[in-house]
Amino acid sequence: MELTLSLLTIFLLFFALSGRCSDKNDFPEGFIFGSATSAYQWEGAFDEDGRKPSVWDTFLHTRNLSNGDITSDGYHKYKEDVKLMVETGLDAFRFSISWSRLIPNGRGPVNPKGLQFYKNFIQELVSHGIEPHVTLFHYDHPQYLEDEYGGWINRRIIQEFTAYANVCFREFGHHVKFWTTINEANIFTIGGYNDGITPPGRCSSPGRNCSSGNSSTEPYIVGHNLLLAHASASRLYKQKYKDMQGGSVGFSLFSLGFTPSTSSKDDDIAVQRAKDFYFGWMLEPLIFGDYPDEMKRTVGSRLPVFSKEESEQVKGSSDFIGIIHYLAASVTSIKIKPSISGNPDFYSDMGVSMIWTVLGNFSAFEYAVAPWAMESVLEYIKQSYGNPPIYILENGTPMKQDLQLQQKDTPRIEYLHAYIAAVLKSIRNGSDTRGYFIWSFMDLYELVKGYEFSFGLYSVNFSDPHRTRSPKLSAHWYSAFLKGNTTFLGSQGIMQMQSNFSSSASS
Protein backbone atom coordinates (compact mmCIF):
# COMPACT_ATOMS: atom_id res chain seq x y z
CA MET A 1 0.00 0.00 0.00
CA GLU A 2 1.53 3.30 -1.05
CA LEU A 3 1.62 6.02 1.58
CA THR A 4 1.83 9.54 0.17
CA LEU A 5 2.12 12.84 2.03
CA SER A 6 2.17 16.38 0.76
CA LEU A 7 5.28 18.39 1.38
CA LEU A 8 3.15 20.95 3.19
CA THR A 9 1.67 18.30 5.52
CA ILE A 10 5.11 17.10 6.57
CA PHE A 11 6.43 20.62 6.94
CA LEU A 12 3.53 21.67 9.15
CA LEU A 13 3.77 18.48 11.18
CA PHE A 14 7.44 18.78 11.94
CA PHE A 15 7.27 22.54 12.43
CA ALA A 16 4.50 22.01 14.99
CA LEU A 17 6.48 19.34 16.80
CA SER A 18 9.83 21.08 16.74
CA GLY A 19 11.26 22.60 19.87
CA ARG A 20 10.42 19.66 22.11
CA CYS A 21 12.78 16.68 22.00
CA SER A 22 14.33 16.08 18.62
CA ASP A 23 15.32 12.43 18.66
CA LYS A 24 16.48 9.46 20.71
CA ASN A 25 19.92 11.01 21.27
CA ASP A 26 18.44 13.59 23.64
CA PHE A 27 17.94 10.81 26.19
CA PRO A 28 20.57 9.47 28.60
CA GLU A 29 22.86 6.73 27.41
CA GLY A 30 21.27 3.34 28.01
CA PHE A 31 17.69 4.59 27.85
CA ILE A 32 15.66 2.10 25.80
CA PHE A 33 12.87 2.68 23.33
CA GLY A 34 10.52 -0.08 22.32
CA SER A 35 6.98 -1.10 21.55
CA ALA A 36 4.65 -3.73 22.94
CA THR A 37 1.96 -6.37 22.50
CA SER A 38 0.53 -9.11 24.72
CA ALA A 39 -0.06 -12.81 24.14
CA TYR A 40 -3.85 -12.92 23.93
CA GLN A 41 -4.03 -9.75 21.88
CA TRP A 42 -1.33 -10.60 19.31
CA GLU A 43 -0.71 -14.35 19.06
CA GLY A 44 -4.04 -15.84 17.96
CA ALA A 45 -3.79 -19.64 17.44
CA PHE A 46 -6.08 -19.94 20.46
CA ASP A 47 -6.55 -23.72 20.19
CA GLU A 48 -3.39 -24.78 18.36
CA ASP A 49 -0.42 -26.86 19.48
CA GLY A 50 -1.72 -27.79 22.92
CA ARG A 51 -2.88 -24.39 24.14
CA LYS A 52 -5.93 -24.54 26.38
CA PRO A 53 -8.39 -21.73 27.16
CA SER A 54 -7.49 -18.78 29.34
CA VAL A 55 -10.12 -16.74 31.14
CA TRP A 56 -10.15 -14.38 28.14
CA ASP A 57 -11.21 -17.16 25.78
CA THR A 58 -14.05 -18.20 28.06
CA PHE A 59 -15.17 -14.65 28.87
CA LEU A 60 -15.45 -13.61 25.21
CA HIS A 61 -16.75 -16.87 23.77
CA THR A 62 -19.55 -17.22 26.32
CA ARG A 63 -20.67 -13.64 25.63
CA ASN A 64 -20.40 -13.98 21.84
CA LEU A 65 -18.07 -10.98 21.69
CA SER A 66 -15.27 -10.30 19.23
CA ASN A 67 -12.19 -12.17 20.34
CA GLY A 68 -8.51 -12.92 19.92
CA ASP A 69 -8.91 -16.35 18.35
CA ILE A 70 -6.82 -15.23 15.36
CA THR A 71 -6.24 -11.49 15.94
CA SER A 72 -2.86 -10.45 14.39
CA ASP A 73 -1.72 -14.08 14.07
CA GLY A 74 1.62 -13.35 15.69
CA TYR A 75 2.00 -17.02 16.55
CA HIS A 76 2.59 -17.76 12.87
CA LYS A 77 3.97 -14.41 11.74
CA TYR A 78 6.49 -13.61 14.49
CA LYS A 79 9.49 -13.73 12.15
CA GLU A 80 7.87 -11.21 9.85
CA ASP A 81 7.06 -9.04 12.85
CA VAL A 82 10.61 -9.15 14.18
CA LYS A 83 11.79 -7.98 10.76
CA LEU A 84 9.45 -4.99 11.09
CA MET A 85 10.85 -4.29 14.55
CA VAL A 86 14.36 -4.23 13.12
CA GLU A 87 13.31 -1.93 10.29
CA THR A 88 11.63 0.39 12.80
CA GLY A 89 14.77 0.52 14.92
CA LEU A 90 13.39 -0.75 18.23
CA ASP A 91 15.84 -1.29 21.09
CA ALA A 92 13.42 -3.60 22.88
CA PHE A 93 10.12 -5.38 22.50
CA ARG A 94 7.68 -6.06 25.32
CA PHE A 95 5.38 -9.07 25.09
CA SER A 96 3.71 -11.51 27.44
CA ILE A 97 3.78 -15.27 27.73
CA SER A 98 0.48 -17.13 27.60
CA TRP A 99 0.36 -19.19 30.77
CA SER A 100 -2.19 -21.52 29.16
CA ARG A 101 0.04 -22.04 26.11
CA LEU A 102 3.11 -22.87 28.16
CA ILE A 103 1.40 -24.85 30.98
CA PRO A 104 -2.12 -25.53 29.66
CA ASN A 105 -3.70 -26.50 32.98
CA GLY A 106 -1.85 -23.84 34.94
CA ARG A 107 0.32 -26.42 36.64
CA GLY A 108 1.80 -29.77 35.76
CA PRO A 109 3.37 -30.71 32.41
CA VAL A 110 4.92 -28.03 30.21
CA ASN A 111 3.53 -27.95 26.69
CA PRO A 112 6.56 -28.70 24.44
CA LYS A 113 5.16 -26.84 21.42
CA GLY A 114 4.32 -23.80 23.50
CA LEU A 115 7.79 -23.89 25.04
CA GLN A 116 9.40 -24.12 21.61
CA PHE A 117 7.37 -21.20 20.27
CA TYR A 118 8.61 -18.85 22.99
CA LYS A 119 12.18 -20.10 22.68
CA ASN A 120 12.06 -19.49 18.93
CA PHE A 121 10.49 -16.06 19.31
CA ILE A 122 12.94 -14.92 21.98
CA GLN A 123 15.87 -16.23 19.95
CA GLU A 124 14.57 -14.36 16.90
CA LEU A 125 14.49 -11.14 18.90
CA VAL A 126 17.90 -11.59 20.48
CA SER A 127 19.62 -12.60 17.24
CA HIS A 128 18.37 -9.36 15.69
CA GLY A 129 19.62 -7.22 18.57
CA ILE A 130 16.22 -6.57 20.18
CA GLU A 131 15.99 -6.82 23.96
CA PRO A 132 13.03 -8.95 25.10
CA HIS A 133 10.96 -7.53 27.97
CA VAL A 134 8.66 -10.29 29.19
CA THR A 135 5.42 -9.98 31.15
CA LEU A 136 4.41 -13.19 32.92
CA PHE A 137 0.76 -12.35 33.56
CA HIS A 138 -1.24 -10.07 31.27
CA TYR A 139 -4.80 -10.72 32.53
CA ASP A 140 -4.92 -14.28 31.13
CA HIS A 141 -4.60 -17.06 33.70
CA PRO A 142 -5.69 -20.56 32.61
CA GLN A 143 -9.42 -21.24 32.80
CA TYR A 144 -8.59 -24.55 34.47
CA LEU A 145 -7.41 -22.76 37.62
CA GLU A 146 -10.45 -20.49 37.58
CA ASP A 147 -12.76 -23.49 37.40
CA GLU A 148 -10.89 -25.52 40.00
CA TYR A 149 -10.57 -23.03 42.83
CA GLY A 150 -11.44 -19.52 41.68
CA GLY A 151 -8.07 -18.40 40.33
CA TRP A 152 -6.78 -15.20 41.93
CA ILE A 153 -9.37 -15.10 44.72
CA ASN A 154 -7.67 -18.17 46.21
CA ARG A 155 -4.21 -18.08 47.77
CA ARG A 156 -3.42 -21.40 46.09
CA ILE A 157 -2.63 -19.46 42.93
CA ILE A 158 0.46 -17.92 44.57
CA GLN A 159 2.18 -21.30 44.51
CA GLU A 160 0.95 -22.06 40.98
CA PHE A 161 2.15 -18.70 39.68
CA THR A 162 5.55 -19.14 41.30
CA ALA A 163 5.95 -22.55 39.67
CA TYR A 164 4.97 -21.05 36.30
CA ALA A 165 7.46 -18.22 36.79
CA ASN A 166 10.12 -20.79 37.63
CA VAL A 167 9.60 -22.51 34.26
CA CYS A 168 9.91 -19.16 32.48
CA PHE A 169 13.04 -18.12 34.38
CA ARG A 170 14.64 -21.52 33.81
CA GLU A 171 13.81 -21.85 30.13
CA PHE A 172 14.09 -18.26 28.89
CA GLY A 173 16.18 -16.43 31.47
CA HIS A 174 19.49 -16.80 29.65
CA HIS A 175 18.16 -14.37 27.04
CA VAL A 176 15.54 -12.42 29.03
CA LYS A 177 16.88 -9.84 31.47
CA PHE A 178 13.68 -7.88 32.16
CA TRP A 179 10.69 -9.59 33.73
CA THR A 180 7.39 -7.96 34.71
CA THR A 181 5.40 -10.33 36.88
CA ILE A 182 1.94 -8.72 36.84
CA ASN A 183 0.50 -6.35 34.24
CA GLU A 184 -1.64 -3.44 35.49
CA ALA A 185 -2.38 -5.10 38.81
CA ASN A 186 -4.78 -2.36 39.93
CA ILE A 187 -6.87 -2.32 36.75
CA PHE A 188 -6.93 -6.13 36.46
CA THR A 189 -8.54 -6.30 39.90
CA ILE A 190 -10.99 -3.44 39.34
CA GLY A 191 -12.09 -4.63 35.89
CA GLY A 192 -12.30 -8.31 36.71
CA TYR A 193 -13.57 -8.30 40.32
CA ASN A 194 -15.23 -4.93 40.99
CA ASP A 195 -16.85 -4.06 37.64
CA GLY A 196 -17.00 -7.48 36.00
CA ILE A 197 -16.22 -6.00 32.57
CA THR A 198 -13.05 -8.04 32.04
CA PRO A 199 -12.26 -11.68 32.88
CA PRO A 200 -13.15 -13.46 34.98
CA GLY A 201 -16.17 -11.15 35.06
CA ARG A 202 -16.90 -11.24 38.79
CA CYS A 203 -18.80 -8.50 40.65
CA SER A 204 -21.80 -7.78 42.82
CA SER A 205 -22.49 -4.29 41.53
CA PRO A 206 -26.07 -3.70 40.39
CA GLY A 207 -26.57 -3.32 36.66
CA ARG A 208 -23.56 -5.49 35.83
CA ASN A 209 -23.93 -8.81 34.08
CA CYS A 210 -22.15 -10.84 36.74
CA SER A 211 -23.35 -14.24 37.89
CA SER A 212 -21.02 -14.31 40.89
CA GLY A 213 -18.57 -12.22 42.87
CA ASN A 214 -18.31 -9.71 45.70
CA SER A 215 -17.22 -6.19 44.78
CA SER A 216 -16.80 -5.30 48.46
CA THR A 217 -14.04 -7.79 49.15
CA GLU A 218 -12.71 -9.57 46.07
CA PRO A 219 -10.79 -6.64 44.51
CA TYR A 220 -8.75 -6.35 47.71
CA ILE A 221 -8.27 -10.10 48.08
CA VAL A 222 -7.08 -10.39 44.49
CA GLY A 223 -4.79 -7.36 44.83
CA HIS A 224 -3.28 -8.91 47.94
CA ASN A 225 -2.68 -12.24 46.20
CA LEU A 226 -1.13 -10.51 43.19
CA LEU A 227 1.36 -8.75 45.46
CA LEU A 228 2.20 -11.97 47.29
CA ALA A 229 2.58 -13.89 44.01
CA HIS A 230 4.88 -11.20 42.66
CA ALA A 231 6.95 -11.24 45.84
CA SER A 232 7.19 -15.02 45.73
CA ALA A 233 8.35 -15.06 42.10
CA SER A 234 10.78 -12.22 42.75
CA ARG A 235 12.28 -14.02 45.73
CA LEU A 236 12.63 -17.19 43.67
CA TYR A 237 14.45 -15.29 40.95
CA LYS A 238 16.85 -13.66 43.39
CA GLN A 239 17.60 -16.92 45.17
CA LYS A 240 17.91 -19.20 42.16
CA TYR A 241 18.59 -17.24 38.99
CA LYS A 242 19.78 -13.67 39.49
CA ASP A 243 23.47 -14.44 40.07
CA MET A 244 23.58 -16.63 36.98
CA GLN A 245 21.31 -14.64 34.66
CA GLY A 246 21.74 -11.07 35.88
CA GLY A 247 18.18 -9.95 35.21
CA SER A 248 15.62 -7.90 37.11
CA VAL A 249 12.00 -8.42 38.17
CA GLY A 250 9.38 -5.68 38.22
CA PHE A 251 5.67 -5.06 38.74
CA SER A 252 3.38 -2.82 36.71
CA LEU A 253 0.35 -0.68 37.34
CA PHE A 254 -2.01 1.58 35.47
CA SER A 255 -1.61 5.27 36.19
CA LEU A 256 -3.71 8.36 35.64
CA GLY A 257 -2.62 11.97 35.91
CA PHE A 258 -5.05 13.27 38.52
CA THR A 259 -6.13 16.90 38.71
CA PRO A 260 -8.81 18.48 40.93
CA SER A 261 -11.94 19.55 39.08
CA THR A 262 -12.19 22.72 41.19
CA SER A 263 -9.95 24.73 43.49
CA SER A 264 -11.82 23.51 46.57
CA LYS A 265 -10.00 21.89 49.46
CA ASP A 266 -12.30 18.86 49.20
CA ASP A 267 -11.20 18.20 45.62
CA ASP A 268 -7.54 18.59 46.56
CA ILE A 269 -8.02 15.99 49.27
CA ALA A 270 -9.90 13.81 46.78
CA VAL A 271 -6.90 13.85 44.42
CA GLN A 272 -4.68 12.48 47.17
CA ARG A 273 -7.29 9.86 48.00
CA ALA A 274 -7.39 8.81 44.34
CA LYS A 275 -3.59 8.53 44.35
CA ASP A 276 -3.70 6.38 47.49
CA PHE A 277 -6.20 4.02 45.89
CA TYR A 278 -4.66 3.90 42.41
CA PHE A 279 -0.94 4.15 43.21
CA GLY A 280 -0.56 3.49 46.92
CA TRP A 281 -2.64 0.33 46.90
CA MET A 282 0.22 -1.49 45.18
CA LEU A 283 3.22 0.81 45.53
CA GLU A 284 3.14 1.31 49.30
CA PRO A 285 3.40 -2.44 50.00
CA LEU A 286 6.16 -2.78 47.38
CA ILE A 287 8.16 0.15 48.75
CA PHE A 288 7.18 0.35 52.43
CA GLY A 289 5.62 -3.04 53.21
CA ASP A 290 1.99 -2.10 53.93
CA TYR A 291 -1.12 -0.48 52.50
CA PRO A 292 -1.77 3.28 52.70
CA ASP A 293 -3.30 4.47 55.97
CA GLU A 294 -6.18 6.03 54.04
CA MET A 295 -7.11 2.66 52.54
CA LYS A 296 -6.82 0.88 55.87
CA ARG A 297 -9.11 3.44 57.52
CA THR A 298 -11.70 3.37 54.74
CA VAL A 299 -11.76 -0.31 53.76
CA GLY A 300 -11.25 -1.60 57.28
CA SER A 301 -11.55 -5.33 57.82
CA ARG A 302 -12.27 -5.93 54.12
CA LEU A 303 -8.63 -5.09 53.35
CA PRO A 304 -6.35 -8.10 53.90
CA VAL A 305 -3.53 -7.75 56.39
CA PHE A 306 0.10 -8.61 55.66
CA SER A 307 1.77 -10.80 58.23
CA LYS A 308 5.16 -9.55 59.36
CA GLU A 309 6.84 -12.14 57.14
CA GLU A 310 4.69 -11.25 54.13
CA SER A 311 5.35 -7.56 54.61
CA GLU A 312 9.09 -8.19 54.60
CA GLN A 313 8.80 -10.33 51.45
CA VAL A 314 6.74 -7.77 49.52
CA LYS A 315 8.78 -4.75 50.60
CA GLY A 316 11.63 -4.19 48.17
CA SER A 317 10.57 -7.09 45.94
CA SER A 318 10.36 -5.01 42.76
CA ASP A 319 13.58 -4.05 40.97
CA PHE A 320 11.61 -1.59 38.86
CA ILE A 321 8.08 -0.26 38.51
CA GLY A 322 6.33 -0.58 35.17
CA ILE A 323 3.99 2.30 34.45
CA ILE A 324 1.08 2.02 32.01
CA HIS A 325 -0.11 5.53 31.17
CA TYR A 326 -2.55 6.98 28.66
CA LEU A 327 -4.82 9.55 30.27
CA ALA A 328 -5.45 12.36 32.69
CA ALA A 329 -8.49 12.42 34.96
CA SER A 330 -10.39 15.25 36.58
CA VAL A 331 -11.29 14.39 40.18
CA THR A 332 -14.25 15.55 42.25
CA SER A 333 -14.84 14.61 45.88
CA ILE A 334 -18.18 12.92 46.41
CA LYS A 335 -19.88 10.90 49.06
CA ILE A 336 -20.81 7.80 47.08
CA LYS A 337 -23.50 5.81 48.78
CA PRO A 338 -22.92 2.07 48.77
CA SER A 339 -24.70 0.19 46.01
CA ILE A 340 -28.35 -0.76 46.18
CA SER A 341 -27.33 -4.00 47.83
CA GLY A 342 -25.98 -1.91 50.71
CA ASN A 343 -22.41 -3.05 50.13
CA PRO A 344 -19.50 -0.74 49.37
CA ASP A 345 -17.16 -1.33 46.41
CA PHE A 346 -13.86 0.09 45.19
CA TYR A 347 -15.42 3.33 43.95
CA SER A 348 -17.51 4.07 47.02
CA ASP A 349 -14.42 3.35 49.13
CA MET A 350 -12.37 5.80 47.08
CA GLY A 351 -15.08 8.46 47.31
CA VAL A 352 -14.25 10.38 44.15
CA SER A 353 -15.81 10.98 40.79
CA MET A 354 -13.40 10.86 37.85
CA ILE A 355 -13.78 12.16 34.31
CA TRP A 356 -11.16 10.83 31.94
CA THR A 357 -9.81 13.31 29.40
CA VAL A 358 -10.91 12.09 26.01
CA LEU A 359 -11.85 14.07 22.95
CA GLY A 360 -15.46 13.55 21.96
CA ASN A 361 -17.70 10.98 23.58
CA PHE A 362 -16.36 7.68 24.85
CA SER A 363 -17.83 5.68 21.96
CA ALA A 364 -15.76 7.56 19.38
CA PHE A 365 -12.78 8.82 21.24
CA GLU A 366 -9.18 9.68 20.90
CA TYR A 367 -7.14 10.62 23.93
CA ALA A 368 -6.50 14.25 24.72
CA VAL A 369 -2.85 15.24 24.45
CA ALA A 370 -2.02 15.99 28.08
CA PRO A 371 1.73 15.38 28.58
CA TRP A 372 1.62 17.16 31.93
CA ALA A 373 -0.23 14.06 33.19
CA MET A 374 2.78 11.87 32.43
CA GLU A 375 5.06 14.36 34.15
CA SER A 376 2.82 14.49 37.22
CA VAL A 377 2.78 10.69 37.54
CA LEU A 378 6.55 10.41 37.31
CA GLU A 379 7.07 13.32 39.70
CA TYR A 380 4.64 11.87 42.24
CA ILE A 381 6.35 8.48 42.21
CA LYS A 382 9.74 10.14 42.53
CA GLN A 383 8.66 12.26 45.49
CA SER A 384 6.47 9.72 47.29
CA TYR A 385 8.19 6.39 46.72
CA GLY A 386 11.92 7.04 46.79
CA ASN A 387 12.44 7.49 43.04
CA PRO A 388 12.49 3.80 42.01
CA PRO A 389 13.63 2.76 38.51
CA ILE A 390 10.70 3.12 36.12
CA TYR A 391 9.88 1.78 32.68
CA ILE A 392 6.95 3.27 30.79
CA LEU A 393 5.64 -0.07 29.55
CA GLU A 394 2.64 1.29 27.63
CA ASN A 395 1.75 4.69 26.21
CA GLY A 396 -0.24 5.48 23.10
CA THR A 397 -3.53 6.67 21.70
CA PRO A 398 -6.36 4.94 19.83
CA MET A 399 -7.89 5.81 16.50
CA LYS A 400 -10.93 4.44 14.75
CA GLN A 401 -10.14 1.23 12.90
CA ASP A 402 -10.06 2.46 9.29
CA LEU A 403 -7.30 1.20 7.04
CA GLN A 404 -7.34 4.28 4.81
CA LEU A 405 -7.51 6.95 7.51
CA GLN A 406 -5.16 5.06 9.81
CA GLN A 407 -2.23 5.39 7.43
CA LYS A 408 -1.93 9.14 7.99
CA ASP A 409 -2.30 9.03 11.76
CA THR A 410 -0.88 12.47 12.50
CA PRO A 411 -2.86 12.79 15.80
CA ARG A 412 -0.98 9.74 17.07
CA ILE A 413 2.36 11.33 16.16
CA GLU A 414 1.45 14.53 17.97
CA TYR A 415 0.46 12.51 21.05
CA LEU A 416 3.56 10.32 21.07
CA HIS A 417 5.97 13.18 20.52
CA ALA A 418 4.41 15.20 23.33
CA TYR A 419 4.56 12.30 25.80
CA ILE A 420 8.10 11.31 24.88
CA ALA A 421 9.08 14.93 25.50
CA ALA A 422 7.32 14.77 28.88
CA VAL A 423 9.36 11.68 29.79
CA LEU A 424 12.57 13.51 28.85
CA LYS A 425 11.56 16.52 30.94
CA SER A 426 10.85 14.24 33.90
CA ILE A 427 14.26 12.60 33.57
CA ARG A 428 15.91 16.01 33.51
CA ASN A 429 13.96 16.77 36.69
CA GLY A 430 15.46 13.73 38.38
CA SER A 431 13.07 10.84 37.63
CA ASP A 432 14.87 7.50 37.30
CA THR A 433 12.91 6.54 34.19
CA ARG A 434 14.87 4.13 32.02
CA GLY A 435 12.67 3.10 29.10
CA TYR A 436 9.60 3.89 27.02
CA PHE A 437 7.37 1.47 25.08
CA ILE A 438 4.66 2.49 22.64
CA TRP A 439 1.39 0.59 22.78
CA SER A 440 1.02 -1.06 20.43
CA PHE A 441 3.47 -2.22 17.80
CA MET A 442 0.64 -3.21 15.48
CA ASP A 443 -3.13 -3.34 15.42
CA LEU A 444 -4.46 -6.18 17.52
CA TYR A 445 -7.38 -7.24 19.66
CA GLU A 446 -7.94 -4.50 22.23
CA LEU A 447 -9.06 -5.94 25.56
CA VAL A 448 -12.06 -3.66 26.03
CA LYS A 449 -12.78 -2.23 22.58
CA GLY A 450 -12.05 -5.28 20.42
CA TYR A 451 -11.36 -4.22 16.83
CA GLU A 452 -13.31 -0.96 16.91
CA PHE A 453 -10.25 1.11 17.75
CA SER A 454 -6.56 0.43 17.35
CA PHE A 455 -3.32 1.76 18.80
CA GLY A 456 -0.89 0.20 16.31
CA LEU A 457 2.11 1.72 14.60
CA TYR A 458 1.42 -0.84 11.88
CA SER A 459 -1.98 -1.58 10.37
CA VAL A 460 -3.22 -5.15 10.24
CA ASN A 461 -5.84 -5.99 7.65
CA PHE A 462 -8.12 -8.24 9.70
CA SER A 463 -10.30 -9.03 6.68
CA ASP A 464 -7.30 -10.53 4.92
CA PRO A 465 -6.58 -14.15 5.93
CA HIS A 466 -2.86 -13.33 5.64
CA ARG A 467 -3.27 -10.50 8.18
CA THR A 468 -1.17 -8.16 6.02
CA ARG A 469 0.83 -5.58 7.94
CA SER A 470 1.51 -2.08 6.61
CA PRO A 471 3.20 0.90 8.22
CA LYS A 472 1.28 3.94 9.33
CA LEU A 473 2.83 7.38 9.28
CA SER A 474 3.47 6.96 13.01
CA ALA A 475 5.65 3.90 12.29
CA HIS A 476 7.78 5.96 9.93
CA TRP A 477 7.89 8.83 12.42
CA TYR A 478 8.96 6.60 15.30
CA SER A 479 11.59 4.97 13.14
CA ALA A 480 12.94 8.38 12.14
CA PHE A 481 12.94 9.47 15.79
CA LEU A 482 14.87 6.37 16.83
CA LYS A 483 17.36 6.78 14.01
CA GLY A 484 17.91 10.49 14.66
CA ASN A 485 16.28 11.72 11.46
CA THR A 486 13.56 14.05 12.77
CA THR A 487 15.65 17.13 13.39
CA PHE A 488 15.80 18.63 9.92
CA LEU A 489 13.15 21.18 9.00
CA GLY A 490 14.67 22.53 5.81
CA SER A 491 13.00 21.74 2.52
CA GLN A 492 15.72 19.31 1.45
CA GLY A 493 15.43 17.31 4.65
CA ILE A 494 11.64 17.26 4.52
CA MET A 495 11.66 16.09 0.92
CA GLN A 496 14.03 13.30 1.91
CA MET A 497 11.67 12.34 4.73
CA GLN A 498 8.75 12.28 2.31
CA SER A 499 10.73 10.09 -0.05
CA ASN A 500 11.65 7.71 2.78
CA PHE A 501 8.01 7.47 3.92
CA SER A 502 6.71 6.78 0.43
CA SER A 503 9.35 4.21 -0.51
CA SER A 504 9.04 2.37 2.82
CA ALA A 505 5.27 2.23 2.63
CA SER A 506 5.19 0.91 -0.89
CA SER A 507 7.94 -1.68 -0.42
Side-chain angles (χ1 to χ4, degrees):
M1 178 184 296
E2 185 174 358
L3 181 62
T4 58
L5 291 168
S6 71
L7 184 62
L8 178 62
T9 298
I10 296 179
F11 178 80
L12 290 175
L13 176 63
F14 281 92
F15 181 78
L17 297 179
S18 65
R20 303 180 196 175
C21 62
S22 57
D23 60 44
K24 174 183 173 180
N25 295 322
D26 289 335
F27 283 76
E29 185 177 356
F31 189 92
I32 61 167
F33 282 96
S35 192
T37 63
S38 82
Y40 184 77
Q41 297 174 268
W42 170 73
E43 288 178 7
F46 80 106
D47 59 355
E48 290 186 39
D49 293 342
R51 183 187 180 276
K52 288 189 177 180
S54 75
V55 289
W56 269 104
D57 297 286
T58 303
F59 183 85
L60 297 172
H61 288 167
T62 56
R63 289 163 174 77
N64 294 315
L65 299 171
S66 63
N67 56 60
D69 288 0
I70 303 174
T71 183
S72 314
D73 198 22
Y75 186 75
H76 298 110
K77 297 175 74 71
Y78 71 91
K79 289 187 178 181
E80 176 184 333
D81 291 346
V82 171
K83 184 179 178 183
L84 292 177
M85 296 172 206
V86 173
E87 291 174 359
T88 308
L90 301 187
D91 300 324
F93 184 68
R94 177 186 176 235
F95 63 98
S96 71
I97 290 172
S98 167
W99 189 346
S100 55
R101 190 182 298 283
L102 187 64
I103 307 174
N105 288 335
R107 66 170 179 274
V110 173
N111 174 20
K113 290 186 177 179
L115 176 65
Q116 194 59 52
F117 166 70
Y118 290 113
K119 283 190 172 182
N120 291 345
F121 179 41
I122 291 167
Q123 183 59 48
E124 193 75 11
L125 289 168
V126 171
S127 65
H128 286 86
I130 297 173
E131 183 86 57
H133 276 239
V134 174
T135 299
L136 293 175
F137 178 69
H138 198 113
Y139 290 17
D140 57 346
H141 58 282
Q143 183 65 37
Y144 187 90
L145 300 183
E146 187 70 21
D147 293 340
E148 184 180 17
Y149 56 72
W152 285 104
I153 63 173
N154 193 311
R155 288 175 70 100
R156 284 179 61 183
I157 202 168
I158 298 168
Q159 181 180 352
E160 315 277 30
F161 179 79
T162 306
Y164 159 60
N166 184 54
V167 172
C168 294
F169 297 152
R170 181 185 73 222
E171 298 293 344
F172 313 130
H174 296 291
H175 292 305
V176 176
K177 306 305 175 190
F178 295 91
W179 299 95
T180 301
T181 52
I182 309 294
N183 179 71
E184 289 183 335
N186 48 354
I187 291 298
F188 168 67
T189 58
I190 296 168
Y193 300 87
N194 189 84
D195 300 345
I197 59 172
T198 55
R202 297 177 63 86
C203 70
S204 58
S205 302
R208 303 286 190 184
N209 185 28
C210 298
S211 60
S212 59
N214 186 332
S215 301
S216 295
T217 58
E218 287 187 5
Y220 304 114
I221 293 168
V222 170
H224 198 73
N225 290 340
L226 290 168
L227 286 164
L228 293 175
H230 158 79
S232 177
S234 176
R235 180 173 60 173
L236 169 73
Y237 187 82
K238 288 177 171 65
Q239 290 176 347
K240 193 172 179 181
Y241 296 102
K242 189 173 181 68
D243 288 346
M244 178 173 52
Q245 296 178 358
S248 57
V249 177
F251 184 94
S252 91
L253 38 123
F254 180 83
S255 70
L256 290 163
F258 294 112
T259 183
S261 60
T262 72
S263 58
S264 72
K265 183 178 180 181
D266 282 349
D267 286 352
D268 267 341
I269 294 171
V271 166
Q272 183 56 52
R273 200 159 59 242
K275 289 177 178 178
D276 284 340
F277 273 76
Y278 262 82
F279 295 99
W281 182 13
M282 303 294 171
L283 283 181
E284 293 224 3
L286 291 172
I287 304 298
F288 304 121
D290 200 4
Y291 293 115
D293 289 340
E294 179 70 19
M295 287 193 76
K296 289 195 285 187
R297 279 195 300 269
T298 304
V299 183
S301 62
R302 291 178 290 118
L303 187 66
V305 176
F306 292 106
S307 70
K308 183 178 179 182
E309 181 184 10
E310 289 170 344
S311 175
E312 290 172 354
Q313 289 175 8
V314 172
K315 181 179 179 180
S317 61
S318 210
D319 297 321
F320 63 87
I321 302 299
I323 291 297
I324 315 293
H325 179 82
Y326 295 95
L327 291 159
S330 175
V331 173
T332 303
S333 179
I334 56 173
K335 297 289 186 183
I336 300 181
K337 294 181 180 179
S339 63
I340 296 171
S341 66
N343 296 319
D345 66 3
F346 181 83
Y347 299 114
S348 65
D349 289 338
M350 186 164 56
V352 306
S353 170
M354 292 190 300
I355 300 176
W356 294 17
T357 52
V358 297
L359 304 179
N361 61 55
F362 199 73
S363 64
F365 67 93
E366 59 188 58
Y367 295 164
V369 179
W372 61 264
M374 175 78 86
E375 292 177 44
S376 71
V377 166
L378 296 178
E379 182 66 19
Y380 181 72
I381 294 173
K382 182 187 79 174
Q383 295 284 356
S384 302
Y385 299 105
N387 202 17
I390 286 176
Y391 289 87
I392 309 297
L393 294 180
E394 292 180 25
N395 178 239
T397 190
M399 293 182 67
K400 189 76 174 175
Q401 182 69 278
D402 183 311
L403 284 174
Q404 295 300 319
L405 294 176
Q406 282 263 356
Q407 301 306 311
K408 300 180 182 181
D409 57 343
T410 52
R412 179 171 286 117
I413 295 173
E414 181 182 1
Y415 178 101
L416 293 174
H417 198 286
Y419 280 75
I420 290 172
V423 173
L424 179 60
K425 183 177 178 183
S426 296
I427 292 170
R428 288 173 173 169
N429 286 335
S431 173
D432 190 12
T433 303
R434 301 182 181 186
Y436 172 89
F437 292 77
I438 289 175
W439 184 270
S440 55
F441 186 63
M442 64 181 57
D443 294 347
L444 35 72
Y445 178 81
E446 286 298 333
L447 294 184
V448 176
K449 285 291 184 178
Y451 299 101
E452 184 181 356
F453 293 88
S454 67
F455 289 73
L457 297 171
Y458 288 81
S459 292
V460 175
N461 186 346
F462 294 108
S463 63
D464 178 354
H466 299 293
R467 295 300 195 268
T468 306
R469 285 89 157 106
S470 54
K472 303 176 188 178
L473 178 57
S474 57
H476 296 300
W477 175 82
Y478 195 41
S479 180
F481 176 86
L482 296 178
K483 295 172 182 176
N485 294 334
T486 60
T487 55
F488 42 90
L489 289 170
S491 60
Q492 184 176 354
I494 295 170
M495 289 177 69
Q496 181 63 48
M497 178 72 76
Q498 181 182 28
S499 174
N500 289 346
F501 284 171
S502 297
S503 61
S504 296
S506 59
S507 61

